Amino acid sequence: MKTLSLALRSLANRRTTALLTLCAIAVSVALLLGVQKLRTAARDGFANTVSGVDLIVGARSGQINLLLYSVFRVGDATANVSWDTYQKVARRSDVAWTIPLSLGDSHRGYRVLGTNLDYFRHYRFAGGRELTFEAGKPFADLYDAVLGAEVARALGYKLGDPVVIAHGLGNVSFAQHEDKPFRIVGILARTGTPVDRTVHVSLEAITAIHVDWQSGMRALPGGRVDAEAARAMDLTPDSITAFMVGMQNRVMTFGLQRAVNEYRQEALLAIMPGVALTQLWNLVGIADTALMIVAAFVVLAGLLGMLTAILTSLNERRREMAILRSVGARPRHVFTLLVTEAGLLAVGGVAAGVALCYGLIYAAKPLLERRFGLFLEPGGLTGYDIGLLAAIVAAALVMGALPAWRAYRNTLADGLTPRV
Amino acid sequence: MPRRTRPAIEQLIALLVLSVAGGTAGADGMHAHGKHVHGEVTVNIALEGRTLALEIDAPAAQTLGFEKSPRDDRERAAVKAVDDWFRSGRNMLGVPPAAGCRLTKAEFTPPKLGGGHADYRGSYLFDCAAPEALAWIEVWALRRMQGLEKAEVNLVTPAGQRQETLRGGAVRVTLR
């Protein structure tokens, strides 16, 4: 106890250096903890891109490929799923609901998704959150469109604005469906998922804008069908890109997955989104490990700063040590004193770092959600966090032993004859 | 280390056989087989309400040690033992006793040995009196497998879907 108060007073005597050292440790700890919190948030956000969907079915390709185009709107399908097959699966008794997905067109670089109203009813993200409307409502008319939050923000759209869909995926496409413009009837609230970057229209609308197209070209003027005439036609699609499935009972998931994968009429692939997300994260998760390693080195730099500060102070403190020895302190007391100092600096730094990190998270939370759709739930310190912090203090104590050992040796050698 | 070299050779043979089989399967285009990778076992676990479902898909190379038709009494006895085990569904899973899980249904069709690849596929249903007590599940079946490289465990729980890979004798997955 005596050593502790002595260490505290000694630090108070050199408060500027001590405070600066403490700040360096605090900043590095806040960074490490922040990276740790961010990567947990990123991983959870990633895993929560889609939730509540039991299976995604598409043409047979790879698990990750299907996940990428159906959920992340990255890449393309190798083939389509026929409407009959889709209906066959959708009508099974163990299937509760399905969401058809029809991709392939775009609007100024944003993907257009043809789907039905079940999308707004059943799609879930971030552990069960529903899609909500920032403004407007789901599409009702054939030429209605619902925008994701990011599309509306980036392109400055509001309800009632017209939207022309481009054929294909080019940012600047020469093939426009300008004869059948859409009207914006809804804008979704930000989700932090690829939904934000999607233009949603009905499946029938996708068929309608393509009725007079053949082999990627619009028909010649004589064979064209105008927007109103298309309404009278049968707009049931021949095929869709993929579909999502919700099961009546989760236990049936594997059974349907096997049935789809072994379906003989069409080469299909059914994936469990959660499993495919795990596999995808294993691929991209390397980046976040790298970030963590960098943060760990920053902490190491902070601790080295502390080590330097204590070591440089040793010379100035020869007199202090000598006085301590003269009033009966043993060399091991001097050793303990210096290790305690390092410990105090580390504990103080860690505490300040945790406070700093949480302060920053609370301050930046609204911004992160609004701009990046990153839902940061700071939560408490997890066991892993506490382990990390304890490791930092332990490392500080070990490092503190170095100057302590020097001082110990010095007090043995110098004794009471300091050269002032 | 003679035990480690044999599966490696088997894998090589399996690869050769697979590449030939792959060519012929591609010809008719449509037929899809489940994957068959020696050394790899697939375990599906789903939990909904009180029902815990388990599916195990293992190459006979892992359950029996061979995939040909049994030739002598010793091999026939081995086949019978594994068949009986898969049919009974006993000692497939370990769960916390507090969960009170009881096997209610076991489904198993013995594989055709000797016709190329053979897989043991068992599917089991358990009724758990206190499913909230299922903090973890141990796939005990893996302990009886031979030359096991890894087991891919697909989990479907109220918390979502997840995949875990068990290696090196590990049998436990946590459910939270």
Side-chain angles (χ1 to χ4, degrees), chain A residues 53-55 60 63 248-255 257-258 261-267 271-275 278-279 282, chain B residues 29-34 43-49 51-53 55 121 125 152-158 161-164:
Chain A
V53 172
D54 294 312
L55 288 173
R60 190 170 303 150
Q63 280 214 64
Q248 294 282 7
N249 185 329
R250 272 189 293 268
V251 168
M252 316 275 199
T253 311
F254 297 112
Q257 185 182 27
R258 195 171 317 104
N261 288 343
E262 292 174 0
Y263 186 64
R264 278 165 180 265
Q265 273 81 48
E266 208 172 331
I271 59 163
M272 294 178 26
V275 167
T278 315
Q279 294 186 345
N282 288 343
Chain B
M30 289 307 193
H31 194 89
H33 295 277
V43 180
N44 295 330
I45 295 174
L47 177 66
E48 167 115 26
T51 311
L52 177 68
E55 292 180 359
R121 294 205 179 101
L125 288 180
E152 298 280 13
V153 183
N154 299 313
L155 283 164
V156 177
T157 68
Q161 303 174 336
R162 196 152 53 95
Q163 183 175 57
E164 273 193 38

